[in-house]
Amino acid sequence: MRFSLLSFQEGGFDIVALTDGKTGTTVEIIPAHGALLHAFKVKQGNSTLNLIDSYKDTADMQQDLKNSFKNVKLSPYACRIKDASYSFNGKAYTLEKTIAPGNAIHGLLYNAPFKVTAQEADDTKAAVTLAYSYSQEDAGYPFAYDCTATYTLHPDNTLQITTTVTSKSDTVMPLMDGWHPYFSTGTPVDQLVLTFASKQIVEFDEKLIPTGKVLPFTEFRTGKGLKGVELDNSFVLDFSASQPLAVLRDPVKNISISFYPSEQYPILQVYIPPHRKSIAIENLSGAPNAFNNGLGLVELAPGASQRFDTRIKATV
């Protein structure tokens, strides 16, 4: 078979690897730590390049996880919820899982122990499905649900990431879904070029909480160099444009990473960390603080499911 799966241990992690035997492209996932995307390795000449800025080992992850939340599943919300509190259907809730009092960020599953529930490999693809059942562990989110994440490696260095959320609650539940991948080509961010199709930017206040307004924005539609550019912003994607809707290009190494989100991911969040060695490019179903401002908020009925899908393609 062209594609294969392999499980192994490295750096203290239990890793599942999907490999394209024809190209050598490999995707590595760490189920036990938030369904973490550990590696997206591609061949360039005689070299192997990991396009994911991930953790060296478990010690590195434990030290850094709550600072960067690199590469993990974001559910049942992404980004920030103002003061860790929200109201939904006439009831007030306060989240308990915070990185500091009143500071809720990036959901409840970023360190959840997902389990492998399915895997397959044949001549067309390799795929692994991970699952976690949330059982109202946080009093501030009393809505039970199942979250499955499927990574599928296709030909042409293409990784598909599909999330399905199924409500186990007896009431309607608020939901926002996303991922938090950090990308690196080994070239400093200041030498990269970013392009994305957007008509609007979400207006933030000084604490990076949306005001509830969106403003016109087209600055990156034809590509823009990132030298000196500071980004920690949410952009509304323009799905009337042709896919890919976002491209990160490294003109030094002649590498590009293209993003093909489904319409269930209308928000593109872009963050450049202070070290400027990598860049987070995130597909989100809603804007930060969606539980309060309603920007992209999904209201999932009891027993209903919602699918979120995106593809990432590397060109080397």
Side-chain angles (χ1 to χ4, degrees):
M1 293 186 297
R2 171 173 173 173
F3 289 87
S4 62
L5 289 108
L6 177 68
S7 296
F8 62 95
Q9 291 184 326
E10 185 177 82
F13 295 121
D14 290 321
I15 297 171
V16 178
L18 315 176
T19 299
D20 182 343
K22 181 177 180 179
T23 63
T25 301
T26 298
V27 171
E28 296 178 3
I29 304 105
I30 301 174
H33 298 282
L36 187 150
L37 175 58
H38 186 56
F40 186 1
K41 297 177 179 178
V42 295
K43 298 286 188 180
Q44 188 178 46
N46 295 322
S47 300
T48 299
L49 179 65
N50 183 8
L51 300 177
I52 300 298
D53 178 12
S54 192
Y55 301 110
K56 298 175 183 177
D57 50 34
T58 53
D60 182 30
M61 184 190 68
Q62 293 302 328
Q63 181 179 359
D64 187 62
L65 180 59
K66 288 191 176 182
N67 294 319
S68 69
F69 299 85
K70 291 192 297 190
N71 312 314
V72 293
K73 181 72 223 163
L74 306 182
S75 177
Y77 69 89
C79 305
R80 297 163 181 82
I81 291 184
K82 184 179 181 181
D83 300 324
S85 299
Y86 64 98
S87 294
F88 182 70
N89 283 347
K91 294 183 179 181
Y93 302 95
T94 298
L95 294 159
E96 296 177 342
K97 189 171 185 174
T98 59
I99 59 171
N103 190 351
I105 188 168
H106 291 329
L108 305 175
L109 305 191
Y110 56 79
N111 58 353
F114 282 70
K115 295 182 179 180
V116 175
T117 57
Q119 50 187 330
E120 62 175 315
D122 54 32
D123 286 328
T124 63
K125 66 183 180 302
V128 61
T129 297
L130 317 173
Y132 181 80
S133 292
Y134 172 80
S135 301
Q136 303 172 309
E137 294 97 318
D138 193 306
Y141 193 78
F143 309 97
Y145 70 97
D146 290 341
C147 180
T148 65
T150 300
Y151 289 90
T152 305
L153 179 60
H154 297 279
D156 300 321
N157 301 334
T158 299
L159 173 62
Q160 180 178 354
I161 304 169
T162 301
T163 299
T164 302
V165 174
T166 302
S167 172
K168 299 298 183 181
S169 176
D170 57 4
T171 62
V172 176
M173 56 180 272
L175 177 66
M176 176 191 175
D177 189 83
W179 287 91
H180 208 241
Y182 278 55
F183 296 93
S184 173
T185 61
T187 299
V189 168
D190 282 342
Q191 298 180 52
L192 306 182
V193 177
L194 179 62
T195 305
F196 58 84
S198 172
K199 291 181 179 179
Q200 297 169 313
I201 185 173
V202 178
E203 184 182 59
F204 285 177
D205 66 16
E206 66 279 0
K207 295 183 179 180
L208 300 179
I209 300 294
T211 64
K213 298 179 181 179
V214 291
L215 306 173
F217 186 91
T218 58
E219 193 172 316
F220 283 82
R221 288 191 78 100
T222 57
K224 181 177 180 177
L226 295 176
K227 184 175 182 179
V229 174
E230 302 287 343
L231 285 171
D232 192 357
N233 299 93
S234 296
F235 305 93
V236 181
L237 290 171
D238 178 9
F239 282 92
S240 68
S242 59
Q243 295 270 17
L245 294 185
V247 178
L248 179 67
R249 186 169 61 87
D250 180 346
V252 178
K253 294 184 176 179
N254 195 27
I255 297 169
S256 65
I257 304 170
S258 302
F259 300 82
Y260 301 76
S262 70
E263 292 190 13
Q264 284 70 44
Y265 280 139
I267 300 295
L268 187 75
Q269 177 82 12
V270 184
Y271 169 61
I272 301 175
H275 58 67
R276 304 186 71 82
K277 296 177 182 178
S278 59
I279 178 172
I281 301 177
E282 313 160 41
N283 292 132
L284 307 179
S285 67
N289 202 33
F291 280 20
N292 286 310
N293 59 40
L295 294 175
L297 181 68
V298 175
E299 297 188 16
L300 197 60
S305 295
Q306 178 66 56
R307 172 174 165 152
F308 306 92
D309 189 82
T310 190
R311 286 184 296 130
I312 303 165
K313 180 178 179 178
T315 304
V316 296

